[in-house]
Amino acid sequence: MASLWFVLGLCLIVTVCAAPDKIIFDPRGHHDSSKSVKDAPNGTHVPPKVSSPAPKSSPAPKSSPAPKGSSASPKPKQMRPFFVFGDSLVDNGNNNFLYTIARADAPPYGIDLPQHLPTGRFSNGLNIPDVISEYIGSEPALPYLNPELDGKKLLVGANFASAGVGILNDTGFQFLNVLRMPLQLQYFKEYQQRLGKVIGEKRAKEHVNKALVLVSLGGNDFVNNYFLFPGSARSQSISLSDFVKFVISEYRKILKTHYEMGARKVMVLGTGPMGCAPAERAQHSLNGECAQNLQAAAALYEPELTKLVQDLNAEYKQNVFVAANTKLMHHDMISDPKAFGFVSSNTACCGQGPYNGLGFCTSGSNLCKNRNEYVFWDAFHPTERANRLIVQQMMKGTEEYMKPMNLSVMLSIDSHM
């Protein structure tokens, strides 16, 4: 699945419900039936403490035309277009329109949204793009495959993400039909053509130039590819360090394509501490420690991703890309949950088996009463409250978390077209 939070951007293996028996509509014209790593990443790193404890419940507003969270975020005066690419950490419903097993369209997903219904988000409530939308003063961008994304709604932006995808095209094959990155980028081009018919080609180009772009990839390439099973073909054919270099080289092509298509403010999420997800603890731990192999992968990948961002910015002679160290952000909450108001950082709120990390999150799963007390919602994905803390760090974090600048600074700088 994606880069979980931990991947975060993670989204590793998708913790999804079985596809319902229904016809899946695709606006494109198709109809388908339907050992332990415990040290802090930076050694002497001391995570920031939150100033207030977690709320005692998981409230949601009484009514709202678009999902709103339990605590409003500060909004600037002018709305900014927002485009989202990647995996299940940031998918807000595209997979609902596909014939795939990577889906979150059944309860209890969405339990803390205003209507208490699933929307395709891999969360109990809002996901990372939703919270960012609050900060930039915008309603959440609709999934690109949603037929409602048309006309003036195109001005808000679009979400192209699809649970299960990775940087590599052969990642996530077990999920059947998902929007792999070449297709997400093809749809981005199509979106710009559609927008041009609404506001004109020149204004459409300017609209894309000033937009914020979020990309979440990489976790699935390790969880659902290199480490998919012991002795996988990929792990037998290439060393982990060389695989990381290969993935980064492919990621470079993806990010350069974003630039070529007009993106000028791009935030790139890391994979996070993949081995600490409940699913990985359940499958690879005797005493609850994080899975060593995935932690080693994250430790190799994160600095390479930061270097990639720095190299691209140097090439373009401007700070187009920002690297979000989600591994460190999530490690803070996992290593000292009480400092952030959490009760549990190793057990999922929804699931079954050890650490609620086995199988899917379904209506028959164990379900915690207070989602605000848990870092993880399901076997791989964060709760809404964890997502909010992550975005808070993205907005205001120091260079330790956000390089070369945090999102607040990035958004204050005019795009160079």
Side-chain angles (χ1 to χ4, degrees):
M1 249 206 15
S3 341
L4 165 335
W5 165 244
F6 286 160
V7 191
L8 238 144
L10 225 15
C11 282
L12 313 190
I13 278 182
V14 182
T15 53
V16 297
C17 304
D21 295 327
K22 61 182 180 182
I23 299 299
I24 306 299
F25 173 72
D26 180 350
R28 308 281 70 76
H30 304 289
H31 292 73
D32 299 316
S33 55
S34 69
K35 202 151 219 214
S36 165
V37 180
K38 297 181 179 179
D39 296 333
N42 292 345
T44 59
H45 167 74
V46 178
K49 307 297 182 181
V50 292
S51 57
S52 59
K56 295 182 179 181
S57 60
S58 301
K62 294 181 180 180
S63 63
S64 176
K68 296 290 182 181
S70 56
S71 59
S73 303
K75 299 180 177 67
K77 294 181 180 180
Q78 186 177 9
M79 184 194 78
R80 185 182 297 270
F82 189 23
F83 302 107
V84 182
F85 300 83
D87 51 34
S88 62
L89 273 182
V90 295
D91 182 1
N92 68 347
N94 277 310
N95 280 22
N96 289 358
F97 301 92
L98 300 172
Y99 184 74
T100 177
I101 62 172
R103 54 199 315 118
D105 59 348
Y109 285 96
I111 189 173
D112 293 313
L113 289 175
Q115 292 77 30
H116 311 293
L117 295 173
T119 60
R121 293 165 170 82
F122 288 77
S123 174
N124 60 300
L126 304 184
N127 62 12
I128 291 172
D130 294 325
V131 182
I132 292 176
S133 291
E134 291 183 355
Y135 273 96
I136 64 177
S138 172
E139 61 184 89
L142 289 171
Y144 188 69
L145 297 185
N146 190 325
E148 295 181 9
L149 181 64
D150 199 11
K152 292 184 177 181
K153 290 186 178 181
L154 291 168
L155 294 171
V156 177
N159 187 313
F160 303 90
S162 177
V165 306
I167 296 168
L168 307 180
N169 283 337
D170 61 342
T171 291
F173 68 89
Q174 66 271 43
F175 302 122
L176 305 179
N177 188 22
V178 293
L179 305 183
R180 291 178 171 80
M181 285 313 299
L183 186 53
Q184 290 188 30
L185 291 168
Q186 178 182 322
Y187 283 163
F188 187 32
K189 179 179 180 180
E190 180 181 286
Y191 161 88
Q192 294 185 46
Q193 293 170 344
R194 294 171 61 192
L195 181 64
K197 294 179 181 179
V198 176
I199 62 175
E201 291 184 9
K202 181 179 179 180
R203 287 184 60 195
K205 178 181 178 181
E206 295 172 348
H207 199 73
V208 172
N209 287 159
K210 73 177 183 179
L212 173 64
V213 176
L214 177 67
V215 185
S216 172
L217 289 168
N220 282 324
D221 295 289
F222 295 97
V223 175
N224 291 316
N225 192 323
Y226 194 85
F227 294 115
L228 180 58
F229 54 85
S232 67
R234 182 78 76 174
S235 65
Q236 295 299 302
S237 65
I238 186 173
S239 69
L240 178 59
S241 60
D242 285 342
F243 181 71
V244 169
K245 293 177 183 177
F246 173 58
V247 169
I248 290 294
S249 68
E250 293 300 303
Y251 209 168
R252 175 185 290 272
K253 298 174 185 177
I254 292 172
L255 296 180
K256 286 177 71 70
T257 301
H258 277 95
Y259 182 86
E260 292 163 2
M261 298 181 73
R264 294 297 181 268
K265 295 183 184 295
V266 185
M267 185 162 60
V268 185
L269 303 188
T271 62
M274 297 177 284
C276 297
E280 300 305 326
R281 294 181 192 265
Q283 297 177 62
H284 305 294
S285 169
L286 295 178
N287 301 305
E289 68 273 12
C290 301
Q292 183 180 15
N293 55 0
L294 282 166
Q295 289 298 85
L300 289 171
Y301 179 83
E302 200 77 33
E304 289 293 331
L305 182 60
T306 299
K307 184 178 184 299
L308 170 60
V309 164
Q310 293 171 331
D311 289 348
L312 288 174
N313 287 341
E315 179 179 341
Y316 296 126
K317 296 180 173 59
Q318 56 179 300
N319 290 323
V320 175
F321 300 95
V322 168
N325 191 337
T326 50
K327 177 177 181 290
L328 181 56
M329 294 176 192
H330 221 103
H331 183 276
D332 289 347
M333 290 184 280
I334 290 173
S335 62
D336 192 3
K338 291 183 179 180
F340 296 85
F342 293 110
V343 172
S344 174
S345 63
N346 58 6
T347 298
C349 172
C350 180
Q352 46 275 320
Y355 312 105
N356 277 343
L358 299 181
F360 301 143
C361 172
T362 71
S363 57
S365 299
N366 301 320
L367 181 65
C368 67
K369 293 182 179 180
N370 189 345
R371 274 70 71 183
N372 283 323
E373 295 180 347
Y374 286 71
V375 173
F376 285 94
W377 158 245
D378 62 17
F380 285 110
H381 305 91
T383 57
E384 177 183 325
R385 184 162 182 274
N387 284 329
R388 287 188 172 280
L389 291 171
I390 290 164
V391 174
Q392 180 179 319
Q393 197 67 282
M394 292 176 182
M395 295 297 302
K396 304 176 181 180
T398 63
E399 192 176 74
E400 187 177 18
Y401 296 89
M402 300 290 293
K403 291 183 181 181
M405 66 190 75
N406 61 39
L407 187 53
S408 293
V409 174
M410 185 185 201
L411 294 178
S412 70
I413 301 175
D414 290 335
S415 299
H416 296 284
M417 295 180 284

